[in-house]
Amino acid sequence: MAVKACGNARWAFKVSEWRPSFEELKLACSCIQEEERRRLAKFVFRDDFDASIIGRLMMRKFVAEATGMDYDAIELARDEREKPFWRNSSGSDCHVDFNVSHQGDYCVLAGTVSGERDRKIGVDVMKMEYTGGKPLNEFFRLMTRNFSPSEWECIRSKKSDDGQIGAFMRHWCLKESYVKNVGVGITVDLQKISFSLGSKELSLESPTMDTKLFLNGELATDWKFEESLIDSQHCVAVSLLNIPANYAPLPFQRVSYQQLIDGAKPLAQIDEIYCHNIQRKEYKS
């Protein structure tokens, strides 16, 4: 089955189950730009490298599928805020925006294609578990300044630890999707970015869009958020700016390595020494 962008894309790749062969690794590394290879080589752990190279392959695949441009002609870059973008898009009659995130077991991509230059997108995925070691109340105390009073009220209203962790991760996922969209990072005052959840529970099949964003206490009507589950342990949020009134949310589609590499063209000769050095990196678990 081919991956099709069709104007918008929501893709999820389960990185924790991917252990590429040496041949797969060589092909993947040859299908990304040289500056990306240099950046990825700095990762200490193989898990981080694998998730990041999948993110690069997702971005290239999306631009190729969305625009029809030759795979090896696509140039990706990062803006001054480190958000990836399609660099050689001049002359295109469509605006392409995309964002990737990886955490827990997954790497995800959200992409959009439209005629509107101010259409923006951001995405974040979170595993709904707490592994911090400290008691949950102590962890929440340390995180106090990252959520508004109303958000904390929602999180603490859950009757179980698992419920509170799930609500915490859902709020955090929303905030990350927003700040990644605007490119400000989480150094901003996150208490001024406050979410009011609509649906109490998230679904695997049907994304919800009834959560509201308040910026400095004011309802931000030009922002919409898709929320869903990828599986029972991972929530995902997509932030959307300036979408049409009749917009319909999209569920995430699970994709494979073969789907991502289908139609790919190497950008450079295979560097076996580079790949051997990557193979020497250890997995965290």
Side-chain angles (χ1 to χ4, degrees), residues 234-247:
H234 294 78
C235 63
V236 62
V238 178
S239 62
L240 299 149
L241 178 62
N242 296 320
I243 59 173
N246 62 349
Y247 177 86

Side-chain angles (χ1 to χ4, degrees), residues 44-176:
V44 174
F45 292 106
R46 182 65 186 274
D47 314 59
D48 298 320
F49 176 90
D50 286 355
S52 294
I53 198 167
I54 287 297
R56 268 62 171 191
L57 293 175
M58 280 181 159
M59 290 188 283
R60 299 193 71 82
K61 179 72 171 180
F62 174 68
V63 174
E65 290 284 348
T67 68
M69 190 174 192
D70 289 342
Y71 189 95
D72 54 350
I74 295 166
E75 294 179 19
L76 302 179
R78 291 173 181 267
D79 63 19
E80 67 278 2
R81 293 172 174 174
E82 288 295 300
K83 185 178 180 182
F85 71 97
W86 177 27
R87 180 164 53 192
N88 57 332
S89 61
S90 60
S92 173
D93 57 359
C94 61
H95 175 63
V96 177
D97 198 39
F98 52 85
N99 200 218
V100 297
S101 175
H102 57 85
Q103 200 273 336
D105 297 331
Y106 288 92
C107 180
V108 298
L109 173 140
T112 182
V113 183
S114 74
E116 305 297 327
R117 292 287 165 182
D118 58 353
R119 183 80 54 82
K120 299 291 185 182
I121 199 166
V123 67
D124 195 61
V125 60
M126 292 296 298
K127 191 169 186 178
M128 295 180 292
E129 66 174 3
Y130 172 60
T131 57
K134 295 181 174 63
L136 191 58
N137 281 338
E138 175 63 10
F139 172 68
F140 283 171
R141 185 189 68 79
L142 294 172
M143 297 294 290
T144 297
R145 64 186 180 86
N146 293 314
F147 296 92
S148 68
S150 63
E151 288 176 320
W152 278 119
E153 182 179 355
C154 175
I155 293 168
R156 294 185 181 278
S157 70
K158 307 301 179 183
K159 299 188 182 301
S160 67
D161 283 357
D162 286 345
Q164 291 186 11
I165 292 166
F168 177 94
M169 296 304 178
R170 184 177 170 185
H171 279 87
W172 190 258
C173 200
L174 285 161
K175 285 180 190 274
E176 283 274 17

Side-chain angles (χ1 to χ4, degrees), residues 210-223:
D210 53 6
T211 286
K212 293 180 173 135
L213 168 65
F214 292 84
L215 298 175
N216 297 314
E218 297 292 329
L219 178 63
T221 57
D222 51 347
W223 285 90

Side-chain angles (χ1 to χ4, degrees), residues 13-33:
F13 184 99
K14 196 166 187 180
V15 186
S16 62
E17 292 182 350
W18 187 53
R19 292 293 185 267
S21 67
F22 191 61
E23 292 302 313
E24 289 175 330
L25 179 63
K26 288 193 296 183
L27 179 57
C29 290
S30 70
C31 288
I32 63 173
Q33 294 165 201

